[in-house]
Amino acid sequence: MHAWYIRVVALVIIASLSIESRSSTLAIALCLAASFGSFLLWINERHLRRGTVPRFWLSQVYLRNAIKTDGVHRLSPGSYFEIPEAFVLIAVPAWIATDDPLWARLVMLAAGTVFLITTSLLIFNDHTWFNPEETDPPAWHEIFRLLAGPITALPVCLIALPADWGPNGWLAALAISLMPLAVVGSRISDTDLILKTLPALVQQESHAGRELVLSETHGALSTNLRLIEQQAREIRDLAPTLYELAVSANSRLRETLTLAQLGRDSSRSVQNLEAPVLTLARAVGAKANVDITVETLSATDRDLARLVLNDLVGNALNAGAGDIDVAIAPDDGRVAISVTDDAPAMADGVWKTPGTSSARLEARLGDLSGSLTSAHNGATKTVTARWVPESE
C-alpha cells in the first residue's frame, strides 16, 4: 500500500498544479482517468484485508488475476492500467499544461515520473521467491531486471524531452527524466542484496531457535534419563531389554544436540553417533576423537551401536582413560566399532567373566555372528566389537 499512497499524492499534485492552466479541464480529466488503476488497487487491498469479495465485475476480474499472477513471472492486471496511466501523467506537464509556470510543470513532471517508478519497482522487484514453481525464471526476465533503470527512464525521456521547456527548463526536465536510472537501479540492487543474504540469516535464526529448544529439552530430561539408566543397569540381568532402552533413550537425547549445528537436519544420521561419546568424555574431562566411515546403519544397528559405545567408552572412562579414539567402520561385510584408550590394563580374569558387561555384550554380538576382541599396543589397548548388520 505504500506505492498506492505515493501514487495518490502524485495524482493530487498534478491535478492541483494544473488548475490554473487554460487546459485545466483536460488535464484534470486525464488525472481522473489515470487514477482508475489506483482505484482498482485500493479496492483489491480493501477486500483482501477484510476477506470479502468485490461486487463490481472488473474488480472481481482484477482480484482473480492478482491472485493468479502472485508469485509468478507475469504482469499483474494492475500493471496494464498503471503503465499507460503514468505516461498520461508525464504528458500533462509536457504537452497539455504548458502555460503553467516552469516550476509547476517540473514538479508535475517529477510527480508523474515517481508514479512510473513505483509501477516499475513493483514489476521488477518481484522475485517470486515464494513460489517453488518459479525458481528458474526465463533468462530474458533477468536481463530486463538488470536494465530496469534505462527501461523506465526511456519512455519518460521520449515523452517529456521533445516538449518545450524553455531555455532554463530543459536541463531540469532532463535530470527529472533520468531519475529512474538511479532510483530504480539502486532499489533493485538493494533488494537483490537483501534477498542474497536473507537465506543465511534465516538459517542462522532458525538454528538459534532450534538450539534454544534443544538446550532446554536436554536440560529437562538428561538428569532423569541418566538416573533411569543407572537404575536399569542394576537390574540388567533381569531386564536386559529395559537397560538397552534406557541406554538408547539417553544416547538419542545426546544425539539431538547435534541438530544445533548448522547443516545438521536429522538426528538419525550415522554421524550423530559421535555425540554420546563426546558427551561422556567431556563429563570427566577426557579427550575423545570419533571417526565414522560407515555410510548407513539401520535403526536396529544404530541402537546396537549406541549400546556398544556406551559400554566400551564407559568402561574406558571408568578405568581412568584420558584420551579415547573411536572408529566406526565397515569390516568385510560387518560393522566394526573400535575403542582405543590409554587407561591402565584390566586385571587378569576380569574381562568377559560371567556377569560382567563385556560378557553380556559378547553374548549379544554372538547372536549376530559377531565378536568382541581386545588387543594391547604398548600403553594403549583397543577393544573391537563386530557384528553382521541388519539388511536395510
Side-chain angles (χ1 to χ4, degrees), residues 10 23 40 49 63 69 74 121 157 166 194 229 237 306 315 319 325 337 344 369:
S23 304
L40 288 178
R49 286 197 305 269
L63 180 59
T69 57
R74 289 171 52 190
L121 288 176
C157 294
I194 291 172
E229 182 180 339
D237 289 332
R306 295 184 184 102
N315 287 341
D325 288 313
I337 298 181
S369 302

Side-chain angles (χ1 to χ4, degrees), residues 119-131:
T119 302
S120 177
L121 288 176
L122 287 179
I123 295 172
F124 292 113
N125 260 345
D126 183 11
H127 279 241
T128 68
W129 289 109
F130 305 106
N131 187 345

Side-chain angles (χ1 to χ4, degrees), residues 261-304:
Q261 304 173 16
L262 288 174
R264 295 289 182 94
D265 296 322
S266 174
S267 63
R268 294 187 294 273
S269 169
V270 176
Q271 299 299 322
N272 291 336
L273 289 173
E274 69 178 9
V277 176
L278 299 178
T279 303
L280 290 172
R282 194 182 302 114
V284 297
K287 296 181 180 179
N289 178 60
V290 183
D291 182 27
I292 301 176
T293 56
V294 124
E295 293 184 358
T296 59
L297 287 176
S298 67
T300 302
D301 288 319
R302 286 199 302 271
D303 283 337
L304 180 55

Side-chain angles (χ1 to χ4, degrees), residues 154-203:
L154 180 61
V156 182
C157 294
L158 292 177
I159 297 172
L161 295 184
D164 182 14
W165 296 95
N168 300 323
W170 193 86
L171 288 179
L174 175 63
I176 294 172
S177 300
L178 295 179
M179 185 167 57
L181 290 175
V183 177
V184 175
S186 62
R187 287 296 301 273
I188 290 177
S189 298
D190 290 344
T191 303
D192 290 345
L193 182 61
I194 291 172
L195 290 176
K196 184 178 180 180
T197 58
L198 190 61
L201 293 176
V202 171
Q203 186 182 37

